[in-house]
Amino acid sequence: MSELLFEIGCEEIPAGFIEPALNAMKERLADSLKALGLEHGEIRTFGTPRRLGLVLDGLPARQADREEKAYGPKVQICFDADGNPTKAVQGFARGQGVAVEDLQQVEGPKGRCVMALRQVEGRPTPDLLPEVLSDLVRHVPFRKSMHWGSLDESFARPVHWILALLDGAVVPFRFAGIESGNESRGHRFAAPDPFPVKDSKEFFARLENAYVVVDAEERRDRIRAACERLAKEAGGREVAGEDLIREVANLVEYPFPALGSFEEEFLLVPAQILVNSMTSHQRYFPIDDGKGNLLPRFIVVSNTPVEDVSVAVRGNERVLRARLADARFFYREDRKKTLDDFAEGLSRVTFEEKLGTLAEKVERIKEHLRYLSPFIREDALSPALRAAEICKADLLTNIVGEFPDLQGEMGRIYAELEGEEREVFEAIEQHYRPRFAEDELPKTDTACLLAMADKMDTIAGCFGVGLIPSGAADPYALRRQALGILRMLIDRNYRVPLSDWIAFSLSALTSKLTRDAQEVAGDLASFFEGRYRNMRKNDFEPDAIAAVLGAGFDVLPETENKLSALTEFQKKEEFRELAAAFKRVMNILKERPEGVIDPDLFAHEAESELWKRYQQVRDVAGVAFQESRYLDSLEAMVRLKEPVDRFFDDVLVMDKDEQVRNNRLILLGHLADLFLNVADFKKIQTD
């Protein structure tokens, strides 16, 4: 078994590009080798700002011999009336390199046809890899790629070398004017000269000596340990956390941590601003005293070894001092005005060209709050309205202009400093939540009210003017915002009818809509249903989700309760009986006439018995349904199985007499309605 060592060396790749690129490379290589029938061992990836690569053990020397099938023309056009082969079959046989008499007649994908069997000898692995690796390097995905020179090829950054070895032998191919070879390079400044390698063991050892820590996890461990040690030395703890450690690990090839300081006077600025100045702009690690109080110290992780660390530290301190001075100036300028002063400028800021200004959006948000508060908490309306008036004001502050990540957080800080109620300033910060799939939700009813109103206005507005997500394109993050609404409705048990809320949202946007409101409402309902399916796909079986949604999707806590009840009911023996009864009803109920049941039209005892049992079950199941005891409701409906079976055995539903026929269909319609209170059993897999 052979070892493949592959490395693409280039100029510094943005930190956020590295991990997605390595994952994609691993997946594409595995798919390519599988398609070629090449079994292999584990694919191990490695990456730094200047290199992306992988090591693969266990490649066979060659492909296994294989038998290939090729389906040809249908039998009826292969031979004439005398049984002689036609030109069609002769051409097929010639193309496959076999004789006509060696073709077999089989059932193919499109009916009975001829088939050629060919024995294909496996090719040597070294002959296959040039094309595989050439394809791999050409299809590494990046959010943005670039061209350089006069080359047609593109990559995240210009490529300078390609290392490609199979058991020490070069796998030859060419990309962007670079020939693959057996050389790698070390740290750009500390060890820039190229060096040859034979295998992965030598490769990793020589890179370590050339100031390159190839393994990203090891770089993270070194940074983490250094931050802990240096923060302890400064009398505190590092507070930026794992996200920054992960990012910095992809900014350096060989971490060189050092401890710096800044003037205590900057601590008069809110800590969030200082932390953001250090982390977002400089990728420095702040330190606090362990109780949340920021210390005038920081940790810098450099990528370049220096003889005198103090020189490098002083340089970073000068850079940070300038950043903090700017932040202090912006903060002081902001404090000369109130959030209400900033909010006055929202009428001059466009939210979206077709949807108007941020001031108009705020007014729509307030309309949503008035609509939603009766479903949530009436006394949350007043603080929510106040929060809405100034929730977007911090977008016009100097600090948020410089540090966009602080939107919402600066609104909270300024609102608290201005003496607003806790419910108000907490809602301002939290109304942007959840910012991503696993982010925490707003913590209060007031904050949830504001968050849901803001998100629904954005979603409905974008759909109303044709800005609908497609494929991976979702520039307004509508999928994430819809997921946030669903999570809040479910987590906090808000019983807001989604269909009514959608209709209200569109009525608030009447003057802005460029599409038919009814069509938009349908699209929005489908969009939310699709997000719900996606959200729950790992928690429940697909057929259970489809069955519950088939019976209606409106009040989310009820949908959740029905789904849980149905999932529990599916474990019971009675489940199949109820599903079978429902399917028998629905199979014949294609068209349902209007009207009421007339017992005088019953001609069979089975009809009377079913009508009687239905009324008994309806009363029991109906009460359980009204009390959201859906499992009890389902268990009560099981009593309908026997009379339903007897009805279909003894009664001809489609009687010639129209009155009798309609009466029976109306009875079945009542049964269907009872079942559909919980789920559409047609969508459940019972086999």
Side-chain angles (χ1 to χ4, degrees), residues 69-76 78-79 92 102-117:
K69 297 179 180 179
Y71 295 101
K74 291 185 177 181
V75 171
Q76 57 263 38
C78 289
F79 304 96
F92 171 71
D102 291 332
L103 297 175
Q104 300 179 25
Q105 295 186 20
V106 298
E107 288 296 329
K110 298 182 179 180
R112 192 156 185 79
C113 62
V114 295
M115 181 186 73
L117 276 179

Side-chain angles (χ1 to χ4, degrees), residues 122-140:
R123 295 172 60 193
T125 300
D127 293 348
L128 298 169
L129 286 181
E131 183 177 349
V132 169
L133 297 184
S134 177
D135 170 80
L136 185 63
V137 71
R138 282 173 167 79
H139 291 92
V140 181

Side-chain angles (χ1 to χ4, degrees), residues 32-57:
S32 297
L33 295 177
K34 182 179 179 180
L36 292 170
L38 290 174
E39 299 291 335
H40 58 83
E42 180 186 5
I43 301 174
R44 293 171 290 147
T45 60
F46 58 85
T48 76
R50 293 190 70 214
R51 66 200 75 232
L52 300 172
L54 51 86
V55 178
L56 170 60
D57 296 312

Side-chain angles (χ1 to χ4, degrees), residues 432-537:
Y432 287 105
R433 298 181 189 172
R435 296 173 186 262
F436 49 89
E438 302 303 323
D439 192 18
E440 63 179 340
L441 299 176
K443 295 180 179 179
T444 66
D445 289 332
T446 300
C448 284
L449 258 174
L450 187 58
M452 292 195 300
D454 183 24
K455 289 172 174 55
M456 181 60 92
D457 175 70
T458 298
I459 296 169
C462 287
F463 269 73
V465 297
L467 301 174
I468 302 173
S470 60
D474 187 8
Y476 291 90
L478 303 187
R479 296 187 181 100
R480 174 179 57 78
Q481 296 190 67
L483 180 62
I485 289 174
L486 295 174
R487 287 181 59 200
M488 282 183 272
L489 290 172
I490 293 167
D491 185 77
R492 300 187 69 88
N493 198 36
Y494 293 150
R495 307 172 96 75
V496 181
L498 192 57
S499 58
D500 291 348
W501 187 15
I502 288 172
F504 173 83
S505 303
L506 297 177
S507 69
L509 285 157
T510 301
S511 63
K512 305 293 185 183
L513 298 180
T514 60
R515 302 175 60 216
D516 178 71
Q518 189 171 354
E519 181 184 348
V520 175
D523 288 345
L524 284 169
S526 298
F527 179 66
F528 275 99
E529 183 177 322
R531 300 318 300 159
Y532 180 78
R533 287 179 187 270
N534 188 68
M535 181 177 74
R536 284 291 180 243
K537 66 182 180 182

Side-chain angles (χ1 to χ4, degrees), residues 194-436:
F195 55 84
V197 295
K198 296 180 298 184
D199 53 33
S200 63
K201 183 178 180 180
E202 181 184 21
F203 172 75
F204 292 123
R206 295 203 63 172
L207 279 177
E208 177 70 28
N209 292 331
Y211 295 97
V212 177
V213 180
V214 179
D215 183 68
E217 186 58 45
E218 185 178 347
R219 293 198 301 278
R220 290 194 287 269
D221 289 342
R222 292 191 186 191
I223 294 170
R224 194 180 295 112
C227 285
E228 184 177 341
R229 173 177 55 81
L230 292 172
K232 188 175 181 180
E233 179 183 321
R237 64 178 183 181
E238 180 273 313
V239 296
E242 287 298 314
D243 287 345
L244 186 59
I245 289 174
R246 196 174 198 92
E247 181 180 6
V248 171
N250 281 330
L251 288 171
V252 299
E253 291 204 307
Y254 201 88
F256 291 92
L259 186 63
S261 63
F262 57 89
E263 289 77 1
E264 288 194 26
E265 64 187 69
F266 288 118
L267 295 178
L268 296 174
V269 177
Q272 293 92 331
I273 301 175
L274 302 181
V275 169
N276 204 277
S277 296
M278 286 185 264
T279 58
S280 294
H281 283 198
Q282 301 304 127
R283 274 63 177 182
Y284 296 158
F285 292 86
I287 300 172
D288 74 7
D289 62 359
K291 299 178 182 179
N293 302 307
L294 208 61
L295 297 177
R297 308 299 298 274
F298 68 95
I299 298 165
V300 56
V301 179
S302 173
N303 187 40
T304 306
V306 293
E307 293 183 7
D308 187 349
V309 175
S310 64
V311 174
V313 169
R314 285 197 297 272
N316 283 282
E317 287 174 342
R318 284 196 298 272
V319 172
L320 181 59
R321 188 177 298 116
R323 284 288 183 191
L324 297 184
D326 287 344
R328 180 176 58 186
F329 171 77
F330 293 143
Y331 174 67
R332 289 174 174 174
E333 288 297 303
D334 284 346
R335 294 292 291 134
K336 294 177 181 178
K337 300 170 68 174
T338 66
L339 287 176
D340 285 309
D341 294 332
F342 284 113
E344 292 177 3
L346 295 177
S347 60
R348 299 187 295 274
V349 180
T350 300
F351 164 59
E352 200 286 325
E353 183 179 1
K354 297 178 182 177
L355 296 173
T357 65
L358 280 173
E360 291 177 285
K361 179 174 179 59
V362 166
E363 290 305 311
R364 293 195 299 268
I365 288 174
K366 290 160 73 173
E367 291 182 48
H368 278 267
L369 296 176
R370 296 186 182 95
Y371 173 81
L372 290 172
S373 59
F375 298 101
I376 294 175
R377 208 185 85 221
E378 289 279 8
D379 61 354
L381 177 59
S382 179
L385 286 171
R386 174 55 186 158
E389 290 174 352
I390 53 177
C391 70
K392 303 298 182 183
D394 67 343
L395 297 177
L396 300 185
T397 62
N398 291 286
I399 285 291
V400 174
E402 182 70 11
F403 306 109
D405 290 346
L406 290 178
Q407 64 180 3
E409 193 165 5
M410 289 314 303
R412 180 193 67 78
I413 291 171
Y414 290 154
E416 186 175 5
L417 289 172
E418 291 171 17
E420 297 287 350
E421 296 178 16
R422 175 175 293 276
E423 272 193 277
V424 172
F425 64 70
E426 286 183 347
I428 292 172
E429 177 187 8
Q430 296 174 20
H431 86 282
Y432 287 105
R433 298 181 189 172
R435 296 173 186 262
F436 49 89

Side-chain angles (χ1 to χ4, degrees), residues 612-629:
K612 179 180 178 182
R613 184 68 60 85
Y614 160 75
Q615 293 178 88
Q616 295 169 349
V617 170
R618 177 196 60 195
D619 294 341
V620 175
V623 170
F625 178 81
Q626 291 299 324
E627 296 176 354
S628 299
R629 293 185 288 108

